[in-house]
Amino acid sequence: MFDESLVVASAVSAFNNAAVVGPAFLWNAVLASPLFVAIYLFARHGMDKMGIRPYVTMARATFWTVVITALWVVLMGGNYSVLRDGVSLVPFVTAAVLFASCIFVGINTRAIKLPIWYGSANASVRRRWIVNLAVFAICMVPVGLSDTLNWWGPILQIGAVVCGFVVGRYGHRQMRAVPCAIAVMLATTIAILMQPELFRFGQLGNLTPIHLVWVLGVGILAAAAMALDITNSRGRIHQSAYTKLKWLTRFVTVLCMVLFVLTEAVPVFIAAVISAFVQFSMAVWHATAVRDGLGARAMAWLMIAFGVLTGMVTVTAIGILLIASNKSGRGGAGFLL
């Protein structure tokens, strides 16, 4: 009765059952809605007076979104002895998220010198290296503790962080900000779907329609933002052929969405996102022009939805700032559907 594993499993099951009855992520967003409104009003009326509108850029927004998401993956993933821990693929997905995030961070911090502890004027090189290694070890402690279900878990996560940062900082390649941020957010969403209880999202195999619809919304927004960023409008595809292809992709996307709601299967969710991406990319390629700022607005709405899904108020606030600072007007996205 007082076995440790039984007590932990019972507590986790009780939490998950409560989360299923009332989606915590949605109620947290409702409680934080006054804060979101205040941020929007400040962004609309205060940024120009304070002269900070030029600092609210897509590059900064994507950078901090990737950084905050990586920290969330490290700090919010729980190590519970429940539900498929021995065969779960979530550690590999989170390692991939950390690897991609650290590559992106390394690329964007190449101009910043690494912090070195110099101490006094007569401090030795050996002392500096010892202090640097100690600081590095302290920073890697939470990374290692984020996955202690297997003996190789900490090695995998720490290796992903170190290798990603080294590749990004000392490599010679660049990485586009918007596709990288979308990939990180989408991979994190997939990890949440694979094992919701690990991220305090709900109970595996028993999510509510609110959980599923919001996850689908994040996936569709990710597909739209990616299509608007990497696809150029060319005015191609004959109108009759485009109409047939559009209705075909619509049917496949809706079918995948319905199947996902019924099955909660991750492959079906991925298929729905891919189908939506094909539809949006085809619509952009068929259009003769796309309104300026439409891709930025799609990315901002993705940040808002993703921040609500994960409970990261900061990411939601970044998306609201992008929406408020975008002066290109509303509408213009109807052609995607």
Side-chain angles (χ1 to χ4, degrees), residues 7-70:
V7 172
V8 172
S10 300
V12 172
S13 298
F15 172 82
N16 288 331
N17 290 332
V20 166
V21 174
F25 78 94
L26 183 62
W27 294 118
N28 290 336
V30 172
L31 293 174
S33 56
L35 175 63
F36 298 151
V37 172
I39 293 173
Y40 179 79
L41 294 176
F42 164 76
R44 294 280 292 181
H45 304 290
M47 285 197 299
D48 289 331
K49 294 181 179 179
M50 299 182 65
I52 62 175
R53 187 181 293 272
Y55 297 96
V56 183
T57 62
M58 183 60 68
R60 287 188 174 91
T62 52
F63 176 80
W64 287 111
T65 298
V66 170
V67 171
I68 295 170
T69 302

Side-chain angles (χ1 to χ4, degrees), residues 292-329:
D292 292 338
L294 183 59
R297 290 203 303 276
M299 188 64 184
W301 282 111
L302 172 60
M303 291 179 182
I304 293 173
F306 179 73
V308 172
L309 177 74
T310 55
M312 290 189 287
V313 178
T314 306
V315 175
T316 303
I318 292 174
I320 293 173
L321 288 175
L322 285 178
I323 287 288
S325 62
N326 193 331
K327 294 184 177 181
S328 60

Side-chain angles (χ1 to χ4, degrees), residues 6 8-9 18 47-48 71 86 98 103 114 122-123 157 165 179 183 186 191 196 198 218 226 237 247 253 309 313 319:
L6 181 61
V8 172
M47 285 197 299
D48 289 331
L71 291 176
L98 293 178
I103 289 179
L114 293 176
N122 298 323
Q157 305 301 324
F165 186 76
L186 188 59
L198 192 68
V218 172
M226 183 71 80
I237 309 178
W247 279 104
T253 302
L309 177 74
V313 178

